[in-house]
Amino acid sequence: MFQRFYLLLAILAFGCTVYAQEINPELLKRHWTASWITCPDAPQKDYGVFHFRKQINLEQVPNKFIIHISADNRYRLFVNGQSVCFGPARGDLVNWYFETVDIAPFLQKGNNTIASTVWNMGTLAPVAQISNQTGFVIQGDSDKEQAINTNSTWKVIQNKSYSPCSTDNGERLQAYMVIGPGDHIDASKYPWGWEQAGFNDSNWINAVGVTSPSPYGIGTDNLWQLTPRNIPLMEESMQRMQKIRKTDGVTVTDKFLQGTNPLKVPANTKVSILIDQEVNTTAFPILSVTGGKGSSIQLTYTEALLDKNLQKGDRNKIEGLSVIGNYDIFLPDGGTNRQFGTLWLRTYRYIQIDISTADEALTINDLYAYFTGYPFEQKAQFSSNDKSLQDIWNVGWRTARLCAGETYYDCPYYEQLQYPGDTRIQALISLYVTGDDRLMRKAILDFYNSRVPDGLTQGRYPSSRLQVIPPYSLYWVSMIYDYWMYRQDDAFVAQFLPAIDAIFGWYENNMDKERGMLGPMTWWNFTDYTDRFPNGVPPGADDGNSSVITLHLAYTLNQAAQLYKHFGKECEADQYTNLATELTKATYNLCFDKTRNEMADTPEKKSFSQHAGIMAVLSNTIADSEKQSVMRNVVDDTSLIPVTFYYRFYLTQALKASGLGDLYYPSLDYWRDMIKIGLTTFAEKPEPARSDCHAWSASPLYDYFAIICGISSASPNYKTVKIEPSLGELKEVSASTPHPQGEIKVDLKRQGLKGIMGTVEIPSGITGIFVWNGQTIQLNGGTQKIDLK
């Protein structure tokens, strides 16, 4: 099964793609002629792994053969034994995505075998997975492809070799972990070769129809509303494992990991092998074995080894530490070259293999993996005289990549859920480093589709469990604002204005009219996982008059006012500007302590946090002339409740807004310290951290460009640019970042204590300004020299 599958993927990784954009417009206007099909003798909402097959005969190989495919929960498609794609991209029942692919490169003259694995994790499914019931659909794009349509001519079987394992991850790790179960596979029950042309499927049963496939907006009594996939297929590229760190019961060299030296395990033996990938990764592990009937092989995955108290420490150390985490189990049947691959990706730096053989020796032929994730391409470049910044770049970029798949992930090991708080930062990184806005657009749409009746977006989405985080609805508005500033697509942005109105309406309904601040609020008002915010919630959020969230609302209202003014909605723009002014004035009067020169968390002034001061500056509650003194207190006063890595993004924004961007460079020590203790991706929060790979902590990749180099959009649609570097102690920087019309490049060196020289290049057709120490230079398309004393 897996051998041909992954040989093909090695080819696909070098640029050949089967993803197609062609969709017969008629298929978006009416029910499809194919059927959703399923296995008739299996519970439709329970755990199950199924294989579907059909033979089609072609008189000649077509130039193109476009199909549309989807499944619930998920599928992987094979054509003539070769893997074509997997999906669908996660959405919800109202927006159930289908892939459009051209399978012509896999077809041959004569008989062709179309096959697919479809699986439903039932109640054990990841929380990020919404589901209706087991189902599979393929629709040919035009008349010439109709033979492939799913209907009762397709055959199906439930693969009884699969059962769930590793279902107690959260209990064993004492952490919130909702990525779904591991795979337990009994090879003696596996229908080996099921996807190949010569396989005998005479004992398989005919699939049965479930319902007529309905595109979005068509029909009634629908189970799924089909929507075209709006992101590319995921990358899958070969990834060898790197190093054997420890063995027990056997001698193994690194040549085994290179695929050149199979490992022989004698009969009636127990073996344990600890493998270090040396960096965190998201991948599909592949195991090839021969013999070993009656054996058991367990693969356990972890980001870091743990001590007896489930604490991590130096990620490079292994002595006295254990592998505790998500696992898979494979039971060989004694066959030759049996290939085990996981249904879904695994996240790990370390893999422990625990083998127990019975009366037959086992040979491990090979163990490797296929990296997977959103196919981002790094187009930006950054360098400086401080070489340690490159290390931060490498770890940050790995973090950003591992936290991006069919959605943005908060963390790939524990949740794989998309939250607006994380996603806003991730999306900005994507724009600056890759120029690819497709996953950002999908995220904005996902949250738009998540709205609950009171107008708020859900706190994460897609999600099978309801969670509402009101401040995250505000970050969704900020995401729309960011998109509007960096991309020209007014039609896309305008559709969200009524939803923005509803969010602000919820907040206005929760106002404390007497005090002019927000009153008590429902749901989970998470702000930051700092230790002195219980469960991440700042004082006053639940019982009323939180300065942090009140000023966060004002900050977002100011962004929305600009949006509405752009779209000619002057009345709404004025309304939001006035409301922001009322909130900031009331909060300043009630919460600002002039003696301390600091913003309290509530009018009682019993609690003071960096968060309150940050939002006071970003919302313009603090006068421009006072912002620097307030922000210096935010940075220097160690008695304030501190921000964690997440909220440092907003701390940095506030430093920049106060003219103190030069204070950003020293803060990078927090990231250097993570690298010093062996982290290869950036953690969720300061030690002790649950997640070793958390999206919001990749923010330096944005800050390098927006803060150190000072590159930002100065008007909607990135039509003008502002470049205001904040080099701190750096002597020189060189960077390039994609712009919709080309590239923006800076190459700058300090002159003495206050001067700067170098070049700036912006695309033709845009203009901008360069700002340095109060001096401004006008920029035009092309390259211009900078020489300021």
Side-chain angles (χ1 to χ4, degrees):
M1 170 182 176
F2 292 103
Q3 185 172 20
R4 293 191 184 185
F5 161 22
Y6 285 104
L7 284 175
L8 174 70
L9 288 180
I11 298 171
L12 291 181
F14 287 95
C16 174
T17 180
V18 297
Y19 188 54
Q21 297 293 334
E22 293 184 44
I23 301 177
N24 182 342
E26 289 301 311
L27 293 177
L28 301 179
K29 300 176 183 177
R30 56 174 172 79
H31 286 284
W32 293 0
T33 54
S35 295
W36 277 96
I37 59 174
T38 192
C39 184
D41 60 354
Q44 293 300 293
K45 295 181 182 291
D46 292 352
Y47 177 97
V49 179
F50 307 89
H51 301 309
F52 292 82
R53 279 174 55 95
K54 183 178 174 65
Q55 299 276 345
I56 62 172
N57 189 279
L58 298 174
E59 295 182 0
Q60 60 184 7
V61 178
N63 292 327
K64 63 180 181 179
F65 198 95
I66 305 294
I67 67 169
H68 314 290
I69 178 170
S70 192
D72 185 348
N73 299 162
R74 303 192 61 81
Y75 73 87
R76 186 179 281 275
L77 174 69
F78 299 84
V79 175
N80 293 323
Q82 297 182 324
S83 176
V84 176
C85 65
F86 69 88
R90 280 180 175 155
D92 55 37
L93 298 178
V94 181
N95 300 273
W96 195 271
Y97 290 103
F98 65 86
E99 281 70 45
T100 296
V101 295
D102 183 1
I103 63 172
F106 307 93
L107 297 173
Q108 59 193 17
K109 184 178 179 180
N111 286 328
N112 291 267
T113 299
I114 315 301
S116 183
T117 298
V118 174
W119 64 94
N120 183 348
M121 296 291 100
T123 58
L124 299 173
V127 169
Q129 181 66 56
I130 294 172
S131 176
N132 200 324
Q133 66 163 80
T134 301
F136 178 56
V137 63
I138 293 180
Q139 170 71 48
D141 188 62
S142 64
D143 290 344
K144 74 173 185 178
E145 295 107 348
Q146 295 301 299
I148 205 172
N149 285 6
T150 47
N151 50 39
S152 61
T153 64
W154 278 71
K155 288 195 167 185
V156 63
I157 191 173
Q158 182 172 2
N159 188 337
K160 295 294 183 69
S161 71
Y162 281 91
S163 59
C165 64
S166 195
T167 58
D168 61 344
N169 292 328
E171 296 173 25
R172 288 182 293 112
L173 289 166
Q174 296 179 22
Y176 185 67
M177 191 168 183
V178 289
I179 57 168
D183 299 330
H184 184 287
I185 301 180
D186 183 347
S188 67
K189 300 178 182 178
Y190 195 95
W192 296 102
W194 68 272
E195 77 284 11
Q196 305 296 332
F199 180 81
N200 182 2
D201 61 8
S202 60
N203 65 333
W204 289 28
I205 59 179
N206 291 99
V208 296
V210 175
T211 189
S212 177
S214 52
Y216 184 90
I218 302 299
T220 184
D221 202 28
N222 300 325
L223 298 181
W224 303 270
Q225 296 241 130
L226 290 164
T227 301
R229 184 183 180 111
N230 50 14
I231 56 172
L233 297 174
M234 297 299 100
E235 175 185 342
E236 293 184 275
S237 54
M238 178 73 167
Q239 188 176 70
R240 278 282 170 192
M241 297 180 189
Q242 295 300 306
K243 191 173 184 179
I244 302 288
R245 292 294 299 274
K246 185 169 64 174
T247 62
D248 184 13
V250 70
T251 300
V252 191
T253 69
D254 289 341
K255 288 184 179 180
F256 165 63
L257 299 181
Q258 297 163 11
T260 60
N261 190 18
L263 171 64
K264 298 183 184 296
V265 183
N268 301 305
T269 302
K270 289 188 176 182
V271 168
S272 183
I273 305 167
L274 179 64
I275 298 172
D276 186 354
Q277 184 67 36
E278 297 190 329
V279 295
N280 217 351
T281 192
T282 49
F284 293 101
I286 309 298
L287 178 70
S288 172
V289 306
T290 293
K293 184 177 181 179
S295 299
S296 172
I297 306 170
Q298 178 169 313
L299 304 179
T300 306
Y301 316 95
T302 186
E303 294 183 306
L305 304 188
L306 303 173
D307 66 18
K308 62 182 180 180
N309 297 315
L310 300 180
Q311 300 302 306
K312 298 176 180 178
D314 189 325
R315 289 358 181 227
N316 295 320
K317 293 183 178 179
I318 65 170
E319 295 305 320
L321 303 175
S322 302
V323 173
I324 304 173
N326 188 33
Y327 62 84
D328 299 300
I329 296 175
F330 180 50
L331 306 180
D333 64 343
T336 301
N337 293 326
R338 296 305 199 204
Q339 302 252 357
F340 161 62
T342 58
L343 291 172
W344 186 238
L345 65 87
R346 302 293 183 247
T347 304
Y348 57 89
R349 172 177 169 176
Y350 292 97
I351 295 182
Q352 182 166 298
I353 312 175
D354 292 298
I355 303 170
S356 177
T357 58
D359 293 337
E360 182 176 279
L362 171 72
T363 299
I364 307 292
N365 303 315
D366 204 357
L367 175 65
Y368 53 100
Y370 272 84
F371 170 82
T372 188
Y374 185 90
F376 278 126
E377 295 180 30
Q378 179 185 319
K379 295 182 178 179
Q381 301 293 330
F382 178 89
S383 62
S384 74
N385 60 289
D386 182 350
K387 303 307 178 186
S388 74
L389 267 60
Q390 187 61 47
D391 295 332
I392 295 173
W393 173 280
N394 293 339
V395 176
W397 179 232
R398 186 178 300 114
T399 304
R401 288 228 61 195
L402 268 55
C403 291
E406 294 166 350
T407 63
Y408 286 111
Y409 304 147
D410 64 325
C411 56
Y413 187 78
Y414 289 91
E415 298 186 42
Q416 297 175 19
L417 284 161
Q418 181 173 249
Y419 293 81
D422 308 72
T423 300
R424 184 193 181 195
I425 298 170
Q426 290 172 287
L428 286 168
I429 292 170
S430 301
L431 293 181
Y432 270 87
V433 178
T434 75
D436 187 339
D437 60 27
R438 290 172 291 182
L439 195 57
M440 181 184 190
R441 289 171 61 96
K442 181 180 184 296
I444 291 171
L445 286 167
D446 285 341
F447 295 129
Y448 177 68
N449 295 332
S450 79
R451 290 166 296 153
V452 296
D454 60 13
L456 295 173
T457 60
Q458 292 189 42
R460 61 194 185 195
Y461 206 74
S463 173
S464 63
R465 302 179 190 173
L466 177 67
Q467 180 193 77
V468 178
I469 305 176
Y472 275 18
S473 292
L474 299 178
Y475 287 132
W476 178 68
V477 177
S478 292
M479 282 183 64
I480 298 166
Y481 173 83
D482 295 339
Y483 186 88
W484 170 66
M485 288 295 291
Y486 286 90
R487 287 294 181 270
Q488 180 152 6
D489 194 343
D490 282 2
F492 178 75
V493 172
Q495 67 181 309
F496 305 118
L497 298 185
I500 293 173
D501 288 336
I503 290 169
F504 291 147
W506 182 87
Y507 273 98
E508 287 190 75
N509 288 335
N510 283 275
M511 288 282 294
D512 179 340
K513 303 297 184 182
E514 291 185 6
R515 286 188 158 183
M517 295 177 66
L518 286 172
M521 291 182 291
T522 53
W523 304 109
W524 181 27
N525 290 286
F526 173 82
T527 293
D528 188 16
Y529 271 132
T530 190
D531 292 340
R532 289 161 63 188
F533 284 0
N535 201 27
V537 178
D542 294 339
D543 51 3
N545 304 140
S546 164
S547 69
V548 177
I549 300 182
T550 299
L551 297 179
H552 183 185
L553 173 59
Y555 162 71
T556 313
L557 285 164
N558 286 330
Q559 292 177 328
Q562 296 177 56
L563 270 174
Y564 278 75
K565 187 174 182 180
H566 173 82
F567 286 101
K569 295 182 176 292
E570 300 286 347
C571 182
E572 292 90 339
D574 290 343
Q575 176 188 348
Y576 292 149
T577 299
N578 292 336
L579 179 56
T581 300
E582 293 173 12
L583 293 168
T584 56
K585 284 183 177 180
T587 305
Y588 184 87
N589 291 334
L590 291 167
C591 299
F592 192 75
D593 188 313
K594 294 183 179 179
T595 303
R596 295 180 55 145
N597 198 33
E598 292 172 345
M599 184 65 71
D601 293 325
T602 66
E604 290 73 27
K605 300 182 182 178
K606 294 180 180 180
S607 169
F608 291 79
S609 66
Q610 287 186 310
H611 310 74
I614 289 165
M615 278 301 165
V617 168
L618 292 178
S619 62
N620 294 316
T621 303
I622 307 299
D624 289 346
S625 60
E626 303 297 326
K627 284 181 178 178
Q628 287 197 5
S629 65
V630 169
M631 282 308 299
R632 288 193 184 278
N633 274 14
V634 167
V635 172
D636 295 337
D637 186 351
T638 58
S639 72
L640 297 177
I641 297 173
V643 297
T644 67
F645 301 145
Y646 165 46
Y647 223 81
R648 281 199 163 271
F649 174 82
Y650 294 98
L651 171 60
T652 300
Q653 296 287 309
L655 289 173
K656 184 72 172 180
S658 304
L660 294 174
D662 284 341
L663 296 182
Y664 169 71
Y665 174 69
S667 75
L668 288 169
D669 283 346
Y670 289 96
W671 282 267
R672 293 187 183 95
D673 289 344
M674 282 190 272
I675 294 174
K676 286 178 183 177
I677 61 171
L679 280 155
T680 61
T681 48
F682 289 131
E684 180 175 14
K685 61 189 288 288
E687 296 285 89
R690 176 192 62 149
S691 165
D692 270 12
C693 181
H694 218 83
W696 60 37
S697 296
S699 56
L701 270 72
Y702 166 78
D703 297 329
Y704 279 12
F705 299 101
I707 307 301
I708 293 177
C709 296
I711 302 168
S712 63
S713 174
S715 63
N717 313 138
Y718 221 166
K719 290 182 178 178
T720 61
V721 63
K722 181 180 181 181
I723 301 177
E724 186 176 8
S726 298
L727 301 186
E729 297 174 11
L730 291 170
K731 302 300 181 185
E732 56 185 83
V733 296
S734 179
S736 64
T737 181
H739 183 281
Q741 293 175 235
E743 276 188 313
I744 298 174
K745 299 180 180 180
V746 298
D747 190 357
L748 302 169
K749 294 182 179 180
R750 281 189 176 276
Q751 289 194 93
L753 294 175
K754 297 185 178 180
I756 194 166
M757 64 179 296
T759 59
V760 170
E761 180 181 340
I762 63 175
S764 60
I766 72 167
T767 60
I769 56 173
F770 183 91
V771 180
W772 178 261
N773 284 342
Q775 302 178 75
T776 300
I777 297 175
Q778 294 297 316
L779 300 174
N780 296 303
T783 303
Q784 39 249 292
K785 291 184 177 181
I786 304 296
D787 191 353
L788 295 173
K789 306 299 184 184

